[in-house]
Amino acid sequence: MASFARSACRSRLSLPIFQRCGISTTAMARNEATSTVGNIQVQKKPVGGFRGGVVGFLFGFSLASSLAAYHLLDEYQKASAALQASVEELKISTENVTVHVRRIEAVEKDLKALSDASATKEDISRVRTEVKKLYDGLHIEFLDLRAHVWGIQQDLHKLSEKDSTEVRI
């Protein structure tokens, strides 16, 4: 009896679920139910070529636009940084030129003061002429003085000879 129960149980398991549960239907409904139950088809929404192309185009265009905007912003930042560095270099260079100009102005001022304080060639030649005249005049006076002293020596020598020839008692 146990083997009969097992075979009955096995035969029930091989039957479709509605027959196992004891639901009775007509033969035609049973055949339709068994044929459609095994093959359930999922309805897909057809994606048309045009709609898929437009979506793909918009996605690609937005991706390309985003990348282009990113690269453009990156290039703008690089150019801005380079321009800022150039402006800083120009500022430093301008300050250096200003310092050099101030030095040149100071040197020109000192040069003007020196040129005002220094003598010209005409002044030097005039002073040289005056010094020559003074030197010549002093030399002449020196020679006159020397001649006068020589004369006094001669007179003194003559007087001393006269005095030495006389005998004094």
Side-chain angles (χ1 to χ4, degrees):
M1 172 110 189
S3 68
F4 179 72
R6 279 188 204 155
S7 68
C9 186
R10 280 187 199 154
S11 66
R12 276 192 164 191
L13 288 176
S14 64
L15 291 174
I17 194 160
F18 61 88
Q19 288 179 350
R20 277 187 272 162
C21 294
I23 301 173
S24 64
T25 60
T26 62
M28 191 177 213
R30 228 179 309 161
N31 288 337
E32 282 181 24
T34 58
S35 66
T36 58
V37 170
N39 297 332
I40 299 176
Q41 293 182 353
V42 178
Q43 268 192 340
K44 293 183 180 179
K45 277 190 167 181
V47 176
F50 180 73
R51 188 170 41 162
V54 169
V55 169
F57 172 75
L58 290 176
F59 177 72
F61 181 75
S62 63
L63 182 66
S65 298
S66 300
L67 287 174
Y70 174 74
H71 285 293
L72 184 66
L73 183 63
D74 188 42
E75 288 294 321
Y76 174 76
Q77 288 175 347
K78 287 179 183 176
S80 178
L83 182 64
Q84 185 67 26
S86 176
V87 167
E88 291 297 324
E89 288 177 11
L90 182 63
K91 181 181 176 185
I92 291 169
S93 175
T94 304
E95 289 173 357
N96 288 340
V97 168
T98 304
V99 167
H100 290 303
V101 166
R102 287 184 185 147
R103 286 182 186 169
I104 289 172
E105 288 174 351
V107 168
E108 285 178 347
K109 183 180 176 183
D110 292 342
L111 180 66
K112 186 173 190 266
L114 286 174
S115 67
D116 289 344
S118 65
T120 62
K121 286 185 178 181
E122 295 171 358
D123 293 339
I124 292 173
S125 65
R126 192 174 345 118
V127 169
R128 181 181 286 160
T129 311
E130 288 177 14
V131 167
K132 279 185 179 181
K133 286 179 185 177
L134 283 172
Y135 182 74
D136 290 341
L138 286 173
H139 188 62
I140 292 172
E141 286 181 20
F142 174 72
L143 290 176
D144 286 343
L145 184 61
R146 193 174 187 190
H148 183 66
V149 168
W150 187 76
I152 292 176
Q153 278 181 343
Q154 292 298 326
D155 288 343
L156 185 62
H157 186 59
K158 284 181 186 176
L159 282 175
S160 67
E161 282 181 9
K162 280 185 184 180
D163 289 338
S164 63
T165 57
E166 287 180 14
V167 178
R168 287 188 191 175
I169 317 186

